[in-house]
Every structure is written in C-alpha cells, then in structure tokens.
Amino acid sequence: MTEPLVSVVLVVYNSAADLPGCLRALADLDYEALEVIAVDNASTDASAECLAAAPLELTVVANARNEGFARACNQGAARARGEILFFLNPDIDIPADCVGTLVRDLDREPDAGIICPTVLRPGEPIPERPSGEPYEKAAIPGCSLMIGRAAWEDLGGFDDAIFLYWEDADLCWRAWLQGWRVLTDRQAFVHHEEGGLQGSAMRATQQLRNGLYVHLKLMRWRRVATFAVMHAAKTALDLARFRRLSILAAWPWNLRRLPATLRQRRAVAERRAVEPRELERRIAAQTRAKLRFRWLRPRGDHSSA
C-alpha cells in the first residue's frame, strides 16, 4: 500500500536556535512520502541560512514581513501537494516514528479530521509501552497538528484574521461543529516547551483579542457573554497590576470588525452538523480534566494533560 504524501509546514520566525535540530529530525523520519515547506516570517536572525543548509529538500516561502502564524500556515498549505498536512513548530523534538504513527491512526478513523501527538515537556520520558486508541479532545495544540486534506478544504484552513494564539482552538472548534472529530494520539509523541511570550503584553493582548473573536464567531451568546464579562474583569486587573494599556486594544479591534464577525457566525451556523452546546460540553470536560491533572500531579511533574 502506497503511503499518502504528507506535507510538513514549518512556520519560521527567528528560529535559528531550533532549526538545525528540527531539520535533522525531519531528515531522519522513517516516513518516506514527505515534503517540507518552510514559511519564513521575515526572520532577522540566521534562520534563512539554516534553511539553506537543510539536510533535506524543502520549499521555502520568504515573507517580506511577519504575517503571523495562521496566515503563514495557510501560505504553506497553498504550496502543499500532500493528501495530509502536518503543521509543526521548529522547536518541536519529533521522534522518527511520529509521522507514520499519526498517519496510520488518522487513516483508521474515517470521521476524524485532525490529530496530534501526545505533547511532552523537554526531558520527559516517552512511555516504554504506550497503548490505547486515540482519544477525543475539544481542541489540540497547533505546534504539531496533522489534518487530512478533505477536512482542511472543508474548513477553509486557519482563520488568518488571527495573528497569533487561538488559531488552533478556532480550527478545532469549527471542525467539531462541521462534523469532524479531533483526536490526540496515545502512541505518537513529541517534546515541546510551551510559552515563548509567557506573561508578555503582546501575548495578553492577542489572547484576549482572539479569544473574544473566536467566541463571537462560534459560541452561543450566553457563553460569549460569560467570556466577555470574565475577561473584562481580567483586563481591569491587568491594568491595575501591570499598567499594560496595550491590552485595551483587544476590545475596539473586535468592535470594529463585529459586522464581519457576525457574517462569519451566520456562515458557520449554516454549515453546522453539531450544535454548539455539544462542543461546549467537550470544552468543559477538557478544561476540568486539565485542572484536575494540574491539581493532582506530583510537585515537579511538568507533563501536559
């Protein structure tokens, strides 16, 4: 049986520290039907030189400016020929068998559109005998997200109105609403350290702006109202503690584009195969599981839920 072509899309932004290891790992994958597309978001470090010296053949898309993560992913996907797309961060440590395992398990689940490996923290050991079928998640991280071509075209890709953060949740939530399952694989693993901009004003602003936008677009009004009230309080607290005025920009941004967002909301509603309350149930279950994991894990355990 011929392996389906997998198109790996790497979004690069000042990633010179991570690219050599990432590119070597891709060259060492035991999956042969592979193409790699790197989208460089106007890096100012040695990323371009790292790509030029890659130990495997790749296609490079060089942007004149930083287009953001979602738009760069869409650019890479537009150049891709594969039946399957695999979006991968350059700072991911990926074992040789990961892609093959994901492809196998995605193929076994005909109504699954999106799958990701189990994400471990750096240094966390991979289980010796991983077992169990892939399990459903409301959303999975975009750092190592695999999606079938049919699901990608049905969903229309990432929403490129989102510069950074929430693009993965938005894609996964739309997948559930349009009848595609979203899975995490118990037998495929990668290592990744979360956070690059943890605690920064830019992260706080983008998280708020895009979270409100995605809720306005996809969620029932009662959930939109809950999210807005909770994050209005967080905005006030952020201003009082850190005096980060930039976070206020998240609110007028959503107000300005509200007519367009409401048009998107109607378009999503017309294509829905699943009611939003079912998606909300999945989100709540995933949130509870994550909180329970954080509460019960031993001190010093940094693994992901």
Side-chain angles (χ1 to χ4, degrees), residues 150-170:
W152 177 260
E153 293 182 353
D154 185 44
L155 296 170
F158 287 107
D159 186 335
D160 60 15
I162 300 174
F163 185 83
L164 185 65
Y165 304 120
W166 278 90
E167 70 289 318
D168 43 13
D170 172 76

Side-chain angles (χ1 to χ4, degrees), residues 8 10 19-36 53-58 88 92 94-97 99:
V8 177
L10 283 175
L19 275 172
C22 176
L23 294 170
R24 281 195 302 272
L26 290 175
D28 291 341
L29 289 176
D30 59 16
Y31 192 89
E32 295 185 1
L34 198 76
E35 69 171 0
V36 180
L56 75 168
E57 183 179 347
L58 51 79
L88 192 70
I92 289 287
I94 180 169
D97 64 347
V99 169

Side-chain angles (χ1 to χ4, degrees), residues 50-202:
C50 293
L51 294 173
L56 75 168
E57 183 179 347
L58 51 79
T59 299
V60 177
V61 178
N63 286 329
R65 64 177 186 177
N66 186 352
E67 298 288 351
F69 183 77
R71 184 169 295 176
C73 285
N74 290 342
Q75 287 179 298
R79 300 285 294 271
R81 299 178 292 113
E83 300 167 56
I84 297 172
L85 302 170
F86 187 34
F87 298 96
L88 192 70
N89 282 16
D91 59 349
I92 289 287
D93 181 10
I94 180 169
D97 64 347
C98 180
V99 169
T101 302
L102 290 173
V103 170
R104 178 199 69 198
D105 289 340
L106 184 63
D107 182 64
R108 288 176 177 175
E109 305 283 346
D111 57 346
I114 302 175
I115 194 168
C116 78
T118 297
V119 180
L120 305 175
R121 296 291 179 87
E124 185 179 354
I126 293 175
E128 290 186 10
R129 294 183 179 83
S131 61
E133 298 298 314
Y135 61 99
E136 295 178 346
K137 298 284 285 288
I140 60 175
C143 63
S144 51
L145 183 152
M146 180 175 283
I147 180 169
R149 173 68 69 175
W152 177 260
E153 293 182 353
D154 185 44
L155 296 170
F158 287 107
D159 186 335
D160 60 15
I162 300 174
F163 185 83
L164 185 65
Y165 304 120
W166 278 90
E167 70 289 318
D168 43 13
D170 172 76
L171 184 72
C172 292
W173 290 3
R174 285 189 285 120
W176 279 113
L177 290 173
Q178 290 181 211
W180 297 98
R181 294 167 65 216
V182 177
L183 305 174
T184 292
D185 201 307
R186 297 181 192 271
Q187 300 184 45
F189 299 88
V190 296
H191 287 91
H192 182 237
E193 180 65 64
E194 294 181 5
L197 296 173
Q198 191 76 30
S200 72
M202 184 269 197

Side-chain angles (χ1 to χ4, degrees), residues 43-55:
S43 295
T44 57
D45 65 356
S47 292
E49 289 83 353
C50 293
L51 294 173

